[in-house]
Amino acid sequence: MKRIILIVLTATTFLNLVRGNDNIEKWTINLEGAIFGTPLIHKNTIIAGTESGKLFWINAETGKIIRTSTVEGSIRSSALVLNNKLFIEANGSLFCFNAETAKLLYRIRSTGKQLDMLDPWDYFHTSPVEHNGCVYFAGNDNKIYAVDTTSGNVVRKIKTPEGAPIRSSLTFHNGNLYFGDNNGIVYEYNLATNKYTMKYKTYIKKPYSTYGMITGGPFIYNDKIIFSNRHETFTLLNLNTKSIAWSRTDKNGSWWPLIPVVAGNKIIIGGSDNYILSALNIDTGEILWDFGTDLNMFCKPLVVGKSIIVGTGDAYSNIKGQASVYSVNLETGLLINKYNPNGNVFASPVKCGKNIIICTTSGYIHSIPEKFFTNPSIDSVYVEGDFEVEFKNECSSINTLNCLLNNTGEKVAKLNYRVETHNLIPDTLLRIDLLKDSIYSSGVTKLCLQINRGNLKPGQYQGEIAFEVNKEYSIVKPFSITVEGAPNKNQPEFEVKNFTANATDLSASYNLTVNRNTKIIGLLTLPNSDSIVGYIPKTQLKWGNYSFEKEIIALNGKKIRPGKYCLKLKSKGLEIKYEYHIH
């Protein structure tokens, strides 16, 4: 009798993506600094800034850097070109450059208390916009500044009533300015009377400090005010009555921070922790389709014809995360294709001629032909590997078989899996751990078969792994498990190997063997003290082998000073300590 074992998809394990995109990309360049602001396309030139404070002019055809400049502070906004002048916000200041020579013409500093990063997820700053001959920008304080583009003089200051910083867009409509603040309030401000004519608060009580910020919009579409926020409820307001047109609440409490976009009768919005991209009827809020992705979504989707292109990112590994770019059919919500760049994609994809420009938090810019996202070619999928595993006496109870999946076409392969055994092996002892969505881009990917010997008696066990490709055909591979002697019954809850710490970006890399399902958290403390200065968020893990590169998040968004620290990896029954030096 054969026993059918269903394969469960779990968290990231000893799985590595071997990028095979060289035949897809038109060009790739590394700017050596995280890119959060969406790049500007101007006269066949890509203008992008990095968190390291560098501003780049890049030839859109070749990917070659034309010129550079530097600002004081991190660049998390997009640029604006107006009358041969380039404007960009950084560290609460507005910088004005000659758009052709990159020469700095002037700088406008915001006043008051400077809060450049409000918390670890404060990825974006408000981008400068033009209105009636002035450039408006939001400082790092609680004010919006209007700057005369000719003289460089500040001609207007608008202060938020509650003194909260601003990270939303600035939108002008019928003599009014619309924006939102960090306290979750959407404003309408009349420019003629210098008075607020609407203050819509998105919640009654703030449950925690990072809750509520207006992240996308507000913008006006027909008779509606559209915005997104760090809130479990996505709301559209009626422009005329200033009341709720409709709202939709995520039942699991996921935020809706993705900058929304309107396409026809649909509004496209995405969640953060639910990993779901949704198309809603713009008049009723009815869900037209949902599409599941692999990670959090924050950037604005790009509409190209009948395709929606959106990037994802790991909110708990901002710089080092490995994410995806999806293209989804606008009408059906079905996957068209997927691309794996170098890093998280928090900057919105942009169209440049017949190419799509993708920027990442690892500092890369990729130029991808538009056809890859709208009409990719199909080829073949192969699986190769050695599917024999041995357990020796008193060895680890968990072992891993690696195999390679090679997708030779442009179009992604959607895989389903099953394992058939010739022996009665318990379901819980075999698992294939893969990327969260089991969608594989062009190129080579390492897949891992996780085997837990548990209480298997000595002997040999055999079976087959069937890889079903796009529900069209299956690739069947035989495997065998050889067990010798007794298992080690004194293994701890989890074991860490190959621990390394990167002091520059506060990341820690390590291999982890989890022998029982457990929840692990990392705490950065002072030496000989339990005083916590940073942390790695809790991760619920099933048994298995894992490979992590985690960023340590500073407590309350404060910077961690140089010095000696201790990183503690803790679960309910175990704590492991490592010394950690920050330079």
Side-chain angles (χ1 to χ4, degrees):
M1 173 182 176
K2 290 187 177 181
R3 185 179 178 92
I4 305 299
I5 299 178
L6 298 178
I7 302 307
V8 181
L9 301 184
T10 65
T12 305
T13 61
F14 280 146
L15 177 149
N16 298 294
L17 180 69
V18 183
R19 296 185 74 254
N21 296 324
D22 292 343
N23 61 330
I24 294 171
E25 298 158 348
K26 183 174 181 180
W27 53 259
T28 293
I29 187 173
N30 187 359
L31 302 186
E32 299 182 350
I35 305 169
F36 290 101
T38 298
L40 172 71
I41 310 299
H42 177 69
K43 294 183 178 179
N44 203 37
T45 299
I46 300 168
I47 302 173
T50 69
E51 198 173 33
S52 58
K54 292 183 178 180
L55 188 62
F56 294 85
W57 282 254
I58 301 165
N59 185 295
E61 289 297 319
T62 64
K64 302 297 183 182
I65 295 174
I66 301 171
R67 64 184 68 91
T68 63
S69 191
T70 304
V71 302
E72 180 183 323
S74 300
I75 299 175
R76 299 191 192 96
S77 76
S78 298
L80 167 71
V81 172
L82 186 67
N83 298 328
N84 205 39
K85 293 178 180 178
L86 184 145
F87 299 89
I88 197 158
E89 184 274 343
N91 200 31
S93 294
L94 180 72
F95 294 85
C96 177
F97 295 89
N98 182 298
E100 301 300 327
T101 66
K103 179 183 177 181
L104 180 64
L105 302 178
Y106 57 81
R107 174 185 180 179
I108 306 297
R109 300 175 186 267
S110 57
T111 59
K113 186 178 180 180
Q114 298 294 306
L115 295 171
D116 189 54
M117 198 163 185
L118 306 177
D119 57 54
W121 300 278
D122 185 19
Y123 302 126
F124 313 111
H125 279 205
T126 302
S127 298
V129 294
E130 185 274 338
H131 180 69
N132 287 347
C134 291
V135 170
Y136 286 72
F137 78 100
N140 264 344
D141 49 13
N142 55 3
K143 301 181 186 69
I144 295 171
Y145 298 79
V147 179
D148 182 274
T149 59
T150 302
S151 66
N153 295 325
V154 176
V155 296
R156 185 198 294 261
K157 294 181 184 179
I158 302 170
K159 184 178 180 180
T160 56
E162 296 192 2
I166 300 161
R167 295 292 190 253
S168 77
S169 302
L170 305 177
T171 296
F172 297 90
H173 180 76
N174 288 344
N176 295 314
L177 167 63
Y178 296 85
F179 65 94
D181 68 10
N182 188 46
N183 283 349
I185 302 176
V186 179
Y187 297 98
E188 179 185 78
Y189 181 87
N190 188 274
L191 295 169
T193 63
N194 294 322
K195 293 182 178 180
Y196 284 96
T197 49
M198 180 191 75
K199 301 174 187 176
Y200 175 78
K201 193 166 187 176
T202 57
Y203 58 86
I204 298 174
K205 186 177 180 180
K206 198 179 182 84
Y208 46 87
S209 61
T210 58
Y211 184 87
M213 176 194 288
I214 307 301
T215 53
F219 63 91
I220 310 301
Y221 184 83
N222 292 338
D223 62 345
K224 294 181 175 62
I225 304 173
I226 300 173
F227 61 92
S228 59
N229 53 357
R230 293 181 177 182
H231 197 298
E232 68 274 8
T233 300
F234 176 55
T235 302
L236 264 66
L237 299 178
N238 184 288
L239 177 62
N240 300 314
T241 64
K242 308 300 189 291
S243 59
I244 296 175
W246 56 260
S247 64
R248 179 163 292 280
T249 301
D250 183 89
K251 62 181 179 180
N252 295 316
S254 174
W255 292 347
W256 300 76
L258 179 142
I259 302 170
V261 64
V262 175
N265 70 328
K266 300 177 182 66
I267 183 165
I268 310 299
I269 184 70
S272 56
D273 290 340
N274 65 9
Y275 303 168
I276 295 175
L277 184 71
S278 300
L280 309 178
N281 184 293
I282 195 167
D283 294 317
T284 65
E286 174 192 2
I287 296 177
L288 303 177
W289 51 256
D290 283 338
F291 176 81
T293 67
D294 57 352
L295 285 167
N296 314 97
M297 287 172 286
F298 296 96
C299 66
K300 182 179 180 180
L302 172 67
V303 180
V304 180
K306 296 297 182 181
S307 301
I308 295 287
I309 303 172
V310 66
T312 68
D314 185 350
Y316 300 106
S317 188
N318 297 343
I319 305 300
K320 296 291 185 178
Q322 291 295 325
S324 304
V325 179
Y326 295 86
S327 60
V328 180
N329 185 286
L330 177 61
E331 300 301 325
T332 65
L334 297 177
L335 177 71
I336 298 173
N337 215 355
K338 176 185 172 185
Y339 171 74
N340 292 108
N342 285 293
N344 289 330
V345 180
F346 290 152
S348 301
V350 293
K351 192 174 185 298
C352 181
K354 295 183 179 180
N355 301 299
I356 306 299
I357 305 301
I358 308 294
C359 299
T360 77
T361 57
S362 295
Y364 285 88
I365 298 183
H366 305 284
S367 178
I368 314 296
E370 178 185 322
K371 177 180 175 293
F372 176 84
F373 292 108
T374 58
N375 188 27
S377 65
I378 303 172
D379 205 336
S380 300
V381 175
Y382 305 93
V383 176
E384 300 175 349
D386 181 7
F387 295 90
E388 295 183 0
V389 64
E390 293 183 352
F391 287 99
K392 300 290 186 179
N393 188 42
E394 293 295 320
C395 71
S396 173
S397 294
I398 299 171
N399 214 324
T400 301
L401 282 178
N402 291 315
C403 62
L404 296 179
L405 182 146
N406 187 4
N407 181 1
T408 61
E410 287 183 347
K411 187 174 177 59
V412 292
K414 172 75 173 177
L415 302 186
N416 294 317
Y417 314 87
R418 71 179 187 275
V419 175
E420 297 179 353
T421 67
H422 300 263
N423 314 78
L424 292 178
I425 301 178
D427 298 25
T428 54
L429 298 187
L430 283 163
R431 190 172 75 239
I432 296 181
D433 289 320
L434 307 157
L435 293 173
K436 293 187 178 80
D437 54 7
S438 67
I439 298 170
Y440 299 91
S441 301
S442 177
V444 180
T445 305
K446 287 184 181 178
L447 308 181
C448 303
L449 172 63
Q450 300 272 327
I451 304 102
N452 187 341
R453 69 168 290 170
N455 295 316
L456 287 181
K457 296 179 180 180
Q460 190 170 49
Y461 302 83
Q462 296 179 334
E464 293 90 28
I465 307 172
F467 301 86
E468 186 183 61
V469 183
N470 296 328
K471 296 184 178 181
E472 296 173 355
Y473 62 92
S474 293
I475 302 171
V476 179
K477 297 289 184 179
F479 75 90
S480 67
I481 303 172
T482 302
V483 178
E484 298 179 4
N488 184 354
K489 295 185 178 181
N490 297 317
Q491 291 181 336
E493 199 167 293
F494 70 92
E495 301 169 84
V496 177
K497 297 179 181 179
N498 304 321
F499 179 90
T500 59
N502 189 327
T504 303
D505 58 12
L506 292 181
S507 66
S509 303
Y510 50 92
N511 295 334
L512 186 67
T513 296
V514 177
N515 295 302
R516 294 179 292 277
N517 294 353
T518 187
K519 183 180 289 184
I520 295 176
I521 184 173
L523 299 175
L524 190 69
T525 64
L526 296 172
N528 304 315
S529 170
D530 290 329
S531 178
I532 301 171
V533 296
Y535 65 97
I536 297 173
K538 291 181 180 179
T539 303
Q540 183 69 49
L541 299 173
K542 297 183 178 181
W543 64 264
N545 290 322
Y546 297 81
S547 180
F548 283 122
E549 184 166 14
K550 289 288 187 179
E551 290 178 35
I552 297 174
I553 298 173
L555 195 65
N556 298 324
K558 296 180 180 179
K559 291 185 177 180
I560 300 176
R561 296 179 179 179
K564 182 179 179 182
Y565 294 87
C566 179
L567 180 62
K568 301 177 181 179
L569 294 175
K570 303 175 67 174
S571 71
K572 186 176 182 180
L574 184 65
E575 178 179 284
I576 298 178
K577 300 180 181 180
Y578 294 92
E579 288 189 357
Y580 195 107
H581 292 270
I582 297 175
H583 303 290

